[in-house]
Amino acid sequence: MELLDGKFLAKAIKEELKEKIAGYKAQGWRAPHLCAILVGEDGASQTYVASKERDCKELGMDSTVLKFPAYISEDELLGEIEKVNINKNIDGLIVQMPVPEHISSLKVMNHIDPSKDVDGFHPMNVGMMFKGLDAFLPATPYGIMMMLERYKIETSGKHAVIIGRSDIVGKPMAALLMQNSNPGNCTVTVCHSRTKNLKELCLQADIIVAALGRPEFLKGDMVKEGAVVIDVGITRVDAENERGYVIKGDVAYDEVAPKSSYITPVPGGVGLMTRIGLLQNTLKAYEWHMKG
Ligand code: NAD
């Protein structure tokens, strides 16, 4: 079994990005600029946005966080997005989800300029991704594809089983793994909460992506010998430690790891690569904008 080490890989890719950005600045370009909009006081959202700010700083990118109270109206929020859309000094815009219930997340996503949509959630980017065209890819599947590529994992002709069909992980993961590309060229099965023969399907998989948000769901007896196992899950489970919780993935690691050829740990796997996905997209947006 070999570990797909997100910590090691993220560090290496960050060094490459840092060098690239320093090169652009040396030729007189301004720094790439990521803007995050945060609505309300959700603790997890604040933590995510803070880590994105830290990443930007580390790479020499500028970052701005616009914070609004949970009672901001939908129209006001769309107005704020519009201001960022037309700001020539900002390359990428993310609106941290979830937004309060009185605001339509769909309207929010649709309102972001597709050329600044570094989360890759705008329908234009989703459509382009499905067609295999150059687009911003949603950060988590993008991070996983980078991992498969860097570890030179053969995907062509393999059977990939994805557990979960969300818009941000399961569906785009399926789209990317089925593309005629490398990595890609998989035969893809997408499982979800209504799938009847999930264990049988998992046992046929050469590659399993577990993205359902149920701690330690994928057990050892659901995985065939030599499978590649990607654990996307992040769930806080109560524990008697200082923090009061531990983070669990969707894979029962101790049972599954001995059977797998490659496996991602949690933490230290997909989560860190997701952050790289966002940084790569921001750099891409910057290069587009600077080159006109
Ligand atoms: P979601 O809740 O939007 O979707 C979960 C999916 O799992 C649904 O499609 C549902 O049909 C399916 N599902 C639920 N129970 C199932 C079951 N018993 N059998 C088969 N399928 C089942 O979740 P999401 O946003 O895709 O996130 C999934 C997990 O990944 C969560 O733990 C989330 O925190 C984590 N996540 C991690 C990262 C990262 O960077 N590592 C990024 C995004 C999400």
Side-chain angles (χ1 to χ4, degrees), residues 146-222:
M146 279 190 263
M147 214 170 208
L148 296 172
E149 187 185 4
R150 299 273 177 143
Y151 275 87
K152 297 190 167 42
I153 291 174
E154 182 58 76
T155 55
S156 183
K158 304 289 182 190
H159 182 197
V161 169
I162 298 163
I163 315 175
R165 58 174 162 187
S166 71
D167 287 343
I168 63 166
V169 188
K171 283 184 204 163
M173 194 73 245
L176 294 174
L177 284 175
M178 76 168 87
Q179 290 297 331
N180 184 358
S181 59
N182 183 25
N185 278 320
C186 288
T187 301
V188 178
T189 301
V190 180
C191 300
H192 47 79
S193 51
R194 301 295 172 94
T195 299
K196 292 216 165 83
N197 51 344
L198 191 126
K199 184 175 173 182
E200 283 161 44
L201 291 165
C202 287
L203 280 167
Q204 293 168 23
D206 303 304
I207 300 168
I208 302 183
V209 180
L212 67 161
R214 302 202 171 214
E216 302 188 328
F217 176 87
L218 190 79
K219 306 284 188 226
D221 65 356
M222 297 165 78

Side-chain angles (χ1 to χ4, degrees), residues 46-93:
Q46 285 174 348
T47 309
Y48 289 138
V49 168
S51 65
K52 288 164 190 174
E53 267 189 296
R54 273 199 309 277
D55 285 342
C56 285
K57 199 170 173 196
E58 193 184 333
L59 264 59
M61 292 185 179
D62 289 339
S63 67
T64 301
V65 180
L66 301 174
K67 294 183 181 172
F68 300 104
Y71 57 76
I72 189 172
S73 73
E74 189 176 86
D75 279 348
E76 279 172 313
L77 182 63
L78 296 181
E80 296 296 338
I81 291 173
E82 197 53 45
K83 284 185 203 163
V84 178
N85 282 345
I86 59 172
N87 185 333
K88 286 198 161 42
N89 289 317
I90 294 177
D91 302 294
L93 168 61

Side-chain angles (χ1 to χ4, degrees), residues 230-247:
I230 310 287
D231 190 351
V232 181
I234 299 180
T235 307
R236 284 184 182 190
V237 175
D238 291 343
E240 286 179 10
N241 60 14
E242 258 179 38
R243 291 193 297 183
Y245 67 88
V246 287
I247 299 288

